[in-house]
Amino acid sequence: MRVFAFLLLALMVCLPVARAQTPAPFVERLLTREQFRKLDDGGFVIYMRHGKTDPTRPDQPEPKFDDCNTQRPLNDEGRKMAADIGKSLRQARIPIADIYVSPMCRTRESAQLVFGRDARVIVVDELFSSTNQTSEQKKPIVEATRRLMSAPVAPGKNRFIMAHAPNLADTMGYFPKQEGTVVIFIPQGSGFEYVGSIRPDMWPELLR
């Protein structure tokens, strides 16, 4: 019996130990001019993190959608940033079909500055920022984000989503650090393909 136990212990020592695989960190890719030109053809999802905000005025623990005083607002730089991105989209003549927007004030204001106050936007409550939410509370946010990023787009058009960085982080592990970053995806029905990102300072080069 002792011999058997000794052999069993020796075998366990010699066996390789299975180690949990750590997921590789997400690698951001900057959109190329060639990829940017393809947006003219449509068929993409364009996801924008709202314009730059005032960090001295954070969201309250339970912000109210209809009370902007309970939410972190855009600052003047963020307003100009959103307006400039709108000008760049029009200059590039990128066709936009539906515009989906988080109910937060900073995203709704960003959408107005990008597309104009008369633009028809679709406010989706489930695009609310997933920051400080529990795993259970995040589920509908991730589901809505994934659905809008995956659903096919009408030919010759692009879908636009104005929302938050944490939503992307919870959906695909990517947190765009710079506010105003635009992220391009190809919807694939059951999922989506990440194409590349446009940082706020990249527009002049892409439009050149």
Side-chain angles (χ1 to χ4, degrees):
M1 192 67 179
R2 290 181 179 178
V3 173
F4 176 77
F6 175 80
L7 291 173
L8 181 60
L9 179 60
L11 179 62
M12 292 176 64
V13 170
C14 293
L15 287 175
V17 178
R19 297 181 180 179
Q21 295 295 318
T22 302
F26 184 90
V27 178
E28 182 183 63
R29 297 193 299 267
L30 300 183
L31 199 73
T32 66
R33 290 178 64 191
E34 291 71 26
Q35 292 170 327
F36 180 71
R37 293 192 188 100
K38 292 180 181 179
L39 297 180
D40 292 351
D41 299 329
F44 295 88
V45 172
I46 302 173
Y47 187 112
M48 178 177 167
R49 185 184 182 190
H50 55 76
K52 196 167 184 179
T53 55
D54 182 355
T56 67
R57 297 169 59 187
D59 290 334
Q60 292 184 7
E62 295 184 6
K64 299 177 181 178
F65 294 162
D66 59 352
D67 185 355
C68 295
N69 291 321
T70 67
Q71 305 171 37
R72 188 174 83 250
L74 294 182
N75 58 22
D76 289 341
E77 184 180 350
R79 294 184 182 94
K80 183 180 185 304
M81 175 187 291
D84 287 347
I85 290 173
K87 291 177 184 177
S88 296
L89 290 171
R90 289 188 291 275
Q91 182 178 339
R93 297 183 179 180
I94 295 174
I96 303 295
D98 298 324
I99 305 166
Y100 295 89
V101 182
S102 156
M104 302 293 283
C105 292
R106 57 184 174 271
T107 44
R108 289 189 281 122
E109 184 178 7
S110 292
Q112 287 182 341
L113 290 163
V114 170
F115 296 104
R117 291 187 176 275
D118 296 330
R120 179 180 176 273
V121 302
I122 303 169
V123 177
V124 181
D125 286 352
E126 289 79 13
L127 291 178
F128 169 69
S129 175
S130 62
T131 302
N132 299 325
Q133 303 296 302
T134 66
S135 297
E136 195 63 28
Q137 290 170 327
K138 288 182 179 183
K139 286 182 179 179
I141 298 173
V142 171
E143 289 173 1
T145 303
R146 180 175 292 278
R147 182 177 67 252
L148 289 173
M149 288 165 54
S150 303
V153 181
K157 298 290 185 180
N158 298 293
R159 176 180 302 122
F160 195 96
I161 304 172
M162 180 73 75
H164 309 272
N167 300 21
L168 275 187
D170 288 323
T171 301
M172 57 178 293
Y174 173 33
F175 188 102
K177 293 181 179 180
Q178 287 185 267
E179 292 171 309
T181 295
V182 171
V183 191
I184 309 301
F185 299 95
I186 298 175
Q188 298 179 326
S190 60
F192 52 85
E193 177 186 344
Y194 170 62
V195 179
S197 303
I198 305 173
R199 293 175 181 169
D201 61 352
M202 289 176 57
W203 289 96
E205 175 61 24
L206 292 174
L207 293 168
R208 185 172 59 84

